[in-house]
């Protein structure tokens, strides 16, 4: 069997062998091992799969980055399979085409030396036939059928949809993918759960390798090289970038491979429909990606309602978070009648049900009097009794813009992530940034550090107010920061100074996101951590501005959800 790792490996050659071949996409856990931790998940996947191949198998690797070059070298030494490493140019000029043509010939020579005949002209004809098939269908397909079309073509196969699919007739918003490699076995479901459907895929597992036919000329190897170097949307490793036309999309996720030097996830974009996010392979952050996609779709277009309005007079918003579940009950004008907060625990749905029942029993009396329920937070999709779900980004924006119409920025620090939201003059989400890669800069970080100091967070705040010197906590990882705090205690540093240093560490994690969005103000601080005076003081000192605190910052997400419920009711949805 022939396996390959990159779409710059010429399909014309693989199809010219007459043998079965497969794009290597086996999903294995991307844990730390002999390659180290700071390596993208796909590089680790290739290494793990390559080490399991048998004698008689072949693995074709492209040195698309330093990580893949390193993986290729290691597999060449250790794998039982025959390993070929194709070198790629950095530019896309005539010299690059000539270099690529020489690599095409070198790959053919490698295979023929291993006893595999290559009929390149026949391979080009088969590839062009495959291209015609793909291009005849891709304009009519979306979602999982579109994904299957591309993934089948990467293995030299023609996917035939089982049913008739009319593009644009599904209920999802038109959504696109671009950037580096994405785990397509999971991404369709995630985007569907957020209210979208993939109608454009410009990743290396999508349309990019099938943008054009291969011209049949006097020099077939040169023709193949011209096609490869002439990709409409080249790999991020190339110094010359092509302008991309993403068409009429409601949103586009630009995937940045983790630890990749060629894709910069911090770069701003002027296009409000594009969100750049660091995504590892395989996917290990389903909820976070769904939140990003959902918020992107919500800020660019009105969401479709899932159910007809109820007959009651009250509206409920439930925010199911990792640490707490919050509920807010309002009347039709958006006035808060009752609110409640409980610990989420291990069963988010059970906690939400208990909160719902307690709020109803303590206030309106019967469930029939609640006209509509909207859920938000990471556990929102689990709340099966909700009429609709909305991302917490949109909900915080809705609540803050209602209570503080002049606000232009929001910092929300929750239990497992932190967010910065930029608001337009109309109070809508203009842009947002999230940190959910680790616990640093979250409520969980604060809880862990409080335990180390044998204090509660409020005691830390009181002590920090008496700090006499600035103490830096440099570790960005919660585990390493814990060790650093233990070391500081051991060398006799004051608890007051350590507490203040920890609050500064939390705020500095958020400060980079805040600056990236242009430091919008007036700024409102929401989330449970906003109750901590030490974090508030540190934020005002680091940001060099006063922050606005809601009376109950914990419930802003739930309040925004309740407001969305009243909005839907007023519109008769």
């Amino acid at each position: 069997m022939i396996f390959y790792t990159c779409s710059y490996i010429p399909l014309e050659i693989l199809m010219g062998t007459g043998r079965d071949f497969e794009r290597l996409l086996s999903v294995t856990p991307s844990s730390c091992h002999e390659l180290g931790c700071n390596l993208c998940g796909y590089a680790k996947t290739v290494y793990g799969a390559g080490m399991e191949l048998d004698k008689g198998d072949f693995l074709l690797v492209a040195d698309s980055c330093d990580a893949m070059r390193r993986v290729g070298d290691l597999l060449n030494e250790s794998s039982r399979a025959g390993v070929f490493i194709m070198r790629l140019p950095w530019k896309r000029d005539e010299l690059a085409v000539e270099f690529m043509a020489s690599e095409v010939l070198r790959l053919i020579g490698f295979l023929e030396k291993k006893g595999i005949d290559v009929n390149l002209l026949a391979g080009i004809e088969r590839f062009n036939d495959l291209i015609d098939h793909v291009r005849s269908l891709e304009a009519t397909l979306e979602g999982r059928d579109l994904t299957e079309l591309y993934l089948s073509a990467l293995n030299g196969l023609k996917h035939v949809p089982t049913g008739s699919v009319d593009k644009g007739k599904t209920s999802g918003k038109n959504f696109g993918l671009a950037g580096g490699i994405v785990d397509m076995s999971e991404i369709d479901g995630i985007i569907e759960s957020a209210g979208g459907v993939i109608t454009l895929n410009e990743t290396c597992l999508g349309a990019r390798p099938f943008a054009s036919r291969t011209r049949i000329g006097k020099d077939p190897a040169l023709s193949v090289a011209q096609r490869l170097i002439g990709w409409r949307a080249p790999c991020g490793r190339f110094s010359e970038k092509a302008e991309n036309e993403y068409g009429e999309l409601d949103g586009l996720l630009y995937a940045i491979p983790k630890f990749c030097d060629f894709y910069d996830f911090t770069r701003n974009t002027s296009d409000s429909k594009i969100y750049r996010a660091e995504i590892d392979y395989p996917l290990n952050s389903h909820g976070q990606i769904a939140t990003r996609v959902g918020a992107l779709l919500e800020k660019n277009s009105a969401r479709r309602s899932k159910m007809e309005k109820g007959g009651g007079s009250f509206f409920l918003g439930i925010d199911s978070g990792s640490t707490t579940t919050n509920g807010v009950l309002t009347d039709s004008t958006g006035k808060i009648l009752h609110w409640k907060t409980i610990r989420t625990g291990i069963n988010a749905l059970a906690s939400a049900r208990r909160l719902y029942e307690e709020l109803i029993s303590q206030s309106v009396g019967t469930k029939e009097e609640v006209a509509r329920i909207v859920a938000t937070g990471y556990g929102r999709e689990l709340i099966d009794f909700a009429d609709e779900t909305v991302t917490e980004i949109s909900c915080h924006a809705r609540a803050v813009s209602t209570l503080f119409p002049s606000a232009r920025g929001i910092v929300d620090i929750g239990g497992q992530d932190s967010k910065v939201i930029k608001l337009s003059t109309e109070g809508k989400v203009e842009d947002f940034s999230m940190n959910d890669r680790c616990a640093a800069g979250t409520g969980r970080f604060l809880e862990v550090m409080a335990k180390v100091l044998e204090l509660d967070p409020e005691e830390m705040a009181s002590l920090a107010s008496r700090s006499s010197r600035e103490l830096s906590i440099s570790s960005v990882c919660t585990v390493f920061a814990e060790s650093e705090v233990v070391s500081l205690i051991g060398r006799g540093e004051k608890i007051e100074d350590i507490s203040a240093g920890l609050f500064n560490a939390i705020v500095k994690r958020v400060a980079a996101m805040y600056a990236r969005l242009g430091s919008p103000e007036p700024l409102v601080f929401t989330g449970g951590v906003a109750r901590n005076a030490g974090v508030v003081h540190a934020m005002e000192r680091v940001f060099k501005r006063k922050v606005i605190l809601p009376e109950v910052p914990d419930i802003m997400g739930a309040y925004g959800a309740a407001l969305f419920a009243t909005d839907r009711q007023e519109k008769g949805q």
Side-chain angles (χ1 to χ4, degrees), residues 353-367:
R353 284 190 182 280
R354 178 162 61 89
L355 177 72
Y356 175 34
E357 291 168 358
E358 290 180 3
L359 269 174
I360 295 301
S361 64
Q362 295 171 8
S363 51
V364 300
T366 65
K367 294 179 181 180

Side-chain angles (χ1 to χ4, degrees), residues 476-524:
V476 297
C477 170
T478 302
V479 176
F480 293 157
E482 183 177 359
S483 299
E484 188 175 352
V485 168
V486 172
S487 297
L488 291 172
I489 295 172
R491 77 184 194 198
E493 296 289 353
K494 294 181 179 179
I495 300 299
E496 293 90 330
D497 298 330
I498 296 175
S499 297
L502 288 169
F503 292 138
N504 288 336
I506 292 173
V507 170
K508 286 178 180 178
R509 304 292 180 268
V510 181
M513 295 190 295
Y514 182 61
R516 198 180 306 147
L517 296 188
S519 304
E521 58 176 331
L523 178 66
V524 178

Side-chain angles (χ1 to χ4, degrees), residues 375-388:
T376 189
Y378 279 140
R380 62 187 180 277
E381 298 296 339
L382 301 174
I383 313 304
D384 57 7
F385 57 88
D387 299 310
E388 186 181 3

Side-chain angles (χ1 to χ4, degrees), residues 58 97 159 178 208 218 246 252 310 330 382 384 401 414 425 433 439 468 507 515 542 552 567:
F58 297 92
V97 173
H159 170 65
R208 276 162 51 186
K218 294 181 179 180
Y246 294 129
L252 181 137
T330 71
L382 301 174
D384 57 7
S401 63
T425 53
S433 185
S468 58
V507 170
V542 172
V552 188
D567 288 347

Side-chain angles (χ1 to χ4, degrees), residues 266-332:
T266 64
R267 181 173 21 172
N268 286 322
T269 175
S270 59
D271 193 328
S272 64
K273 293 186 178 182
I274 299 176
Y275 191 85
R276 303 169 65 87
E278 188 178 81
I279 300 177
D280 204 6
Y281 184 99
L283 285 171
N284 56 9
S285 53
H286 296 59
Q288 294 92 330
I289 296 173
T291 295
R292 286 173 160 95
V293 172
L296 190 65
L297 293 172
E298 288 163 1
K299 83 183 184 73
N300 287 321
S301 58
R303 288 172 57 95
R304 294 180 176 89
S305 181
K306 293 181 181 177
M307 296 180 64
E308 295 298 322
K309 62 182 181 180
S313 307
F314 304 99
F315 304 87
L316 178 62
I318 296 179
D319 181 2
S320 177
S322 62
T323 304
T324 62
T325 298
N326 308 306
V328 171
L329 192 71
T330 71
D331 62 16
S332 60

